[in-house]
Amino acid sequence: LIYIPSEIITRGQNADLRKAGLKTDLKLFRFNAEDRGVLENNGIDYIDSPKGLLAEYSALKNISDEEMADIRSDDMYNVRKYALFYIGLLLIAFAFTYLQVVTMGIVSENIMYDIRSDVVRHILKLSMNFFRKNPIGRLVTRTNNDIDALRQLLTDVLIYSAKDILVIVGIFAIMFRLSVPLAGIMLLLIPVLAVTLYLFQKYARRAYRKVRLSLARVNSFLSESISGMSLIQAFNKQKKSYSDFDKTSRNYYEANMFQLLIFSIFRPLIDVLSFVTLGTLIYFGGNAVLEGVVTVGVLIAFISYVRKLFRPIFDFSEKFNIFQSAMASSERIMTILDEDDYIKSPEESKFPDNARGKVEFRNVTFSYKEDEPVLKDVSFTIEPNESVAFVGSTGAGKTTIINLLMRFYDIDEGQILIDDVDIRDMNLDDLRSYFGLVLQDVIMFSGDIKYNIALNKDVEDEKIVQYSKYVNAHTFISKLDKQYRDTVAESGKNLSTGQRQLIAFARALAIEPQILILDEATSSIDSETESLIQDAISRIMHDRTSIAIAHRLSTIQDADRIYVLHKGRIVESGTHQELLKQNDKYAELYKYQYIE
């Protein structure tokens, strides 16, 4: 009997010896040299080899349990040692997994915070032209849903995908270590997977783009509908509104179903590939076992590794869903960040040496759309502390003058000067600090009344109360439970239209502007409320340069000068009485409001 250690012969040589009948299936157990006495005391024959004492496995029954336990004490020690080592590895893995989850959570949230801040900061710089073309719901989707999709990419995909790639590389390395031929067969899987992933990526990206676009439309529709709910109910348009929403929602549903169809094809295809790979491995591996090229153990190990190989591929197919959604969202976000439709401050800005509030338009031409001018060669001068009003029919260009003056838009031709300085040479913050603006549709923010008057400006409480009294807002504010600390609901819904307008007057005056702009500021106020603020307006307009835009001529009859706009041009100017004597456009407006 010759004992040959298995590591010095190949599997092929082993198979040849078996076929020639030179290899026995006798099972031997190896004892250490110090166990020689136990074997001799129990009458067990053994072979003395460099690897230890070899005895037939069947002879172990002659050894008592106590002696066998003593013989295998080192083995039991190793079992306990490696069991504890395994438990230690599990605890270490738990600790690192915890740190990974926490770290990735912190990192992803910080990244999302930075991205969301950058997007909002960029949006705040964009011109009014951008907001005129883009629905609010679309922008909300970009800053919320799309950025949240990126967070899922960071937390659920990137780190785990990196781990899956390492697992795949490790499995292939072990496979090549066990059997190069079988591992070579597994490599044939890679081109098939690559083609499958390419086709899936091609159609999935198209599907996810459609999903994000449809979601933006749904959010935009809901934003508009909920904001205008009173109008929808007033005109009994609930059914029509629901019908429109159903169409928009149906498009979103169909986009999601198309996305689901793509994924429902991809995932089963990966399953089929795994079964084909396993079957191919069993076929070739089984033949290799019969030929003695590999052992059954190697084949079983390969089968186990194939299953482990497809586990990260399955995970990747699941995460590819998130990945494509994030890629579509990132494209939409980059579209916002790449938008350059904003008004820029000059690198070297100027500021008037003497801030008096003089306004001058010199041959100003402007159009919202190309070749459709709203203002045509408009020129006028407003002296410091002068009160001026602009009147005219709808679409004449009255509000456009305010938009250009505050540089919400840049003019096409001409110049606009504040205290003899071109507004394009002024820093935007300096320019807009000149103005106190009161709009027809008052915008209120969530917070209290004090916040809505000061708007983060450093305004003393005494001045807030003082200017509130000027416009008679203090009367109703003092009757509230918390007065100036009383909460303002979303869009100021817990305040009447007149109350919101009075707060807007106090807001405009609290920053003590050089120029006060009233853009049809009293058109939505009832007659009683209007009478309360008329005396305040008359005092305020004489204390600073004031520009009023109004359809109701009763609010601007005391203005120092009235400009009449018609089709983008100034056709008349003068005082109220002077314009009535001219018996032209202004007289017609006056007649329509008072005589008829």
Side-chain angles (χ1 to χ4, degrees):
L1 181 64
I2 301 174
Y3 169 74
I4 303 176
S6 60
E7 61 264 24
I8 70 173
I9 62 172
T10 65
R11 292 187 178 92
Q13 292 171 335
N14 181 56
D16 293 338
L17 290 173
R18 185 184 294 275
K19 289 180 180 179
L22 299 175
K23 184 176 183 298
T24 179
D25 291 330
L26 184 65
K27 293 183 179 180
L28 301 176
F29 187 86
R30 184 175 64 85
F31 292 85
N32 294 323
E34 55 267 24
D35 298 326
R36 190 186 305 271
V38 175
L39 296 175
E40 293 176 349
N41 293 335
N42 288 282
I44 300 174
D45 296 330
Y46 61 88
I47 301 172
D48 200 343
S49 74
K51 292 290 183 178
L53 307 178
L54 304 177
E56 290 188 28
Y57 202 87
S58 59
L60 298 180
K61 61 184 179 180
N62 298 327
I63 302 175
S64 66
D65 293 339
E66 292 78 7
E67 290 176 320
M68 200 66 197
D70 184 61
I71 291 171
R72 307 207 64 176
S73 59
D74 290 340
D75 295 334
M76 295 304 298
Y77 170 77
N78 288 330
V79 168
R80 288 191 293 269
K81 180 178 69 174
Y82 285 113
L84 292 174
F85 180 70
Y86 179 70
I87 293 174
L89 287 178
L90 290 178
L91 293 175
I92 292 173
F94 170 78
F96 277 100
T97 302
Y98 171 79
L99 290 176
Q100 170 193 309
V101 172
V102 172
T103 303
M104 286 305 301
I106 294 173
V107 170
S108 64
E109 290 302 327
N110 285 330
I111 292 175
M112 292 305 100
Y113 172 80
D114 291 339
I115 294 176
R116 187 176 288 109
S117 299
D118 289 342
V119 170
V120 173
R121 190 182 299 112
H122 185 75
I123 289 176
L124 290 174
K125 294 178 181 178
L126 296 173
S127 70
M128 294 298 106
N129 186 53
F130 171 82
F131 296 101
R132 187 171 60 89
K133 296 184 295 185
N134 289 274
I136 295 174
R138 181 182 300 173
L139 299 179
V140 171
T141 301
R142 298 293 171 267
T143 54
N144 282 326
N145 301 77
D146 287 337
I147 291 178
D148 187 63
L150 290 182
R151 181 182 60 79
Q152 290 182 333
L153 174 67
L154 290 173
T155 56
D156 299 338
V157 176
L158 291 184
I159 187 67
Y160 292 103
S161 295
K163 182 181 72 174
D164 290 342
I165 291 173
L166 290 176
V167 169
I168 292 173
V169 171
I171 288 175
F172 269 106
I174 296 174
M175 284 181 173
F176 274 100
R177 173 81 175 179
L178 293 175
S179 174
V180 174
L182 290 183
I185 295 173
M186 296 300 302
L187 282 179
L188 298 176
L189 170 68
I190 294 179
V192 179
L193 277 176
V195 172
T196 304
L197 289 174
Y198 170 76
L199 293 175
F200 175 70
Q201 179 267 344
K202 178 180 178 181
Y203 291 101
R205 179 165 296 184
R206 185 186 307 168
Y208 282 109
R209 284 174 181 169
K210 190 174 181 181
V211 168
R212 306 313 298 184
L213 181 61
S214 300
L215 176 60
R217 289 173 178 170
V218 169
N219 287 339
S220 178
F221 184 90
L222 289 174
S223 176
E224 293 176 355
S225 299
I226 294 174
S227 298
M229 188 58 65
S230 59
L231 192 64
I232 291 174
Q233 294 183 358
F235 284 85
N236 292 320
K237 291 293 184 181
Q238 293 94 325
K239 291 183 178 180
K240 180 64 170 63
S241 181
Y242 176 77
S243 177
D244 293 340
F245 174 75
D246 185 61
K247 293 177 182 177
T248 305
S249 182
R250 172 63 61 175
N251 290 334
Y252 182 47
Y253 166 79
E254 291 174 353
N256 276 291
M257 291 304 294
F258 179 62
Q259 166 193 319
L260 181 61
L261 174 64
I262 297 296
F263 188 73
S264 65
I265 295 174
F266 177 70
R267 178 56 192 269
L269 190 58
I270 297 295
D271 286 331
V272 171
L273 284 175
S274 70
F275 297 143
V276 170
T277 302
L278 195 58
T280 303
L281 176 65
I282 292 174
Y283 175 77
F284 288 101
N287 288 332
V289 170
L290 294 176
E291 294 173 359
V293 177
V294 296
T295 64
V296 175
V298 170
L299 179 60
I300 293 174
F302 259 83
I303 294 173
S304 175
Y305 281 124
V306 166
R307 290 173 177 171
K308 291 182 179 180
L309 177 66
F310 273 91
R311 190 175 303 159
I313 295 176
F314 288 144
D315 292 341
F316 183 73
S317 66
E318 294 283 353
K319 292 162 188 170
F320 205 76
N321 186 21
I322 300 174
F323 178 78
Q324 287 297 330
S325 178
M327 289 300 98
S329 296
S330 64
E331 290 179 358
R332 313 296 294 182
I333 293 171
M334 292 307 299
T335 300
I336 296 292
L337 293 176
D338 290 340
E339 181 65 54
D340 60 354
D341 185 7
Y342 58 90
I343 307 298
K344 301 179 181 178
S345 293
E347 294 183 2
E348 296 183 4
S349 59
K350 298 179 181 179
F351 192 80
D353 296 330
N354 186 12
R356 298 173 297 147
K358 179 182 177 182
V359 177
E360 184 177 0
F361 273 53
R362 294 180 183 174
N363 308 111
V364 171
T365 298
F366 172 76
S367 57
Y368 292 105
K369 296 181 180 179
E370 190 174 355
D371 299 327
E372 295 181 17
V374 178
L375 295 181
K376 308 169 186 176
D377 196 30
V378 172
S379 298
F380 61 85
T381 300
I382 303 174
E383 298 297 334
N385 298 330
E386 186 179 15
S387 60
V388 171
F390 291 90
V391 299
S393 57
T394 301
K398 303 183 299 297
T399 301
T400 300
I401 288 177
I402 305 305
N403 290 336
L404 297 180
L405 184 59
M406 299 193 69
R407 210 181 167 205
F408 292 146
Y409 301 84
D410 272 334
I411 60 177
D412 299 334
E413 298 177 11
Q415 273 187 304
I416 301 176
L417 299 96
I418 301 291
D419 290 329
D420 300 321
V421 175
D422 193 315
I423 63 172
R424 288 171 293 192
D425 295 331
M426 297 178 64
N427 183 278
L428 285 176
D429 293 340
D430 294 337
L431 170 65
R432 291 168 184 170
S433 65
Y434 252 86
F435 302 99
L437 180 64
V438 181
L439 299 173
Q440 177 181 0
D441 298 322
V442 179
I443 298 174
M444 303 293 288
F445 299 95
S446 298
D448 54 26
I449 290 178
K450 177 184 175 181
Y451 171 77
N452 275 275
I453 293 176
L455 287 184
N456 285 331
K457 298 287 185 179
D458 188 14
V459 183
E460 297 177 356
D461 292 350
E462 293 77 9
K463 286 190 176 182
I464 290 177
V465 174
Q466 176 186 352
Y467 286 118
S468 297
K469 290 179 178 179
Y470 281 171
V471 296
N472 294 315
H474 181 75
T475 303
F476 83 86
I477 293 175
S478 61
K479 295 178 181 178
L480 299 175
D481 293 339
K482 299 180 181 178
Q483 297 188 5
Y484 288 86
R485 290 295 183 181
D486 208 71
T487 301
V488 175
E490 181 183 4
S491 301
K493 293 179 180 178
N494 58 335
L495 300 173
S496 68
T497 302
Q499 289 172 337
R500 294 198 296 269
Q501 201 73 301
L502 291 174
I503 290 176
F505 272 90
R507 175 194 299 169
L509 299 179
I511 61 175
E512 299 181 346
Q514 293 290 330
I515 302 171
L516 180 65
I517 298 176
L518 309 177
D519 187 358
E520 302 190 32
T522 60
S523 62
S524 59
I525 295 179
D526 57 87
S527 300
E528 181 180 355
T529 305
E530 182 181 353
S531 65
L532 291 175
I533 64 174
Q534 281 301 321
D535 59 330
I537 290 178
S538 62
R539 292 196 308 269
I540 295 165
M541 291 181 70
H542 285 295
D543 292 338
R544 54 181 53 82
T545 304
S546 303
I547 301 174
I549 294 175
H551 283 303
R552 296 167 66 172
L553 302 184
S554 60
T555 61
I556 48 90
Q557 291 182 13
D558 294 332
D560 297 329
R561 183 172 298 275
I562 300 173
Y563 290 99
V564 182
L565 285 167
H566 181 66
K567 295 182 178 181
R569 298 182 184 274
I570 295 179
V571 294
E572 295 179 56
S573 66
T575 64
H576 173 68
Q577 294 299 329
E578 290 172 350
L579 293 174
L580 286 179
K581 290 178 182 180
Q582 293 181 22
N583 196 29
D584 202 347
K585 294 292 183 182
Y586 184 82
E588 289 181 11
L589 293 173
Y590 183 81
K591 179 179 66 175
Y592 290 149
Q593 288 193 21
Y594 294 99
I595 298 179
E596 292 185 358

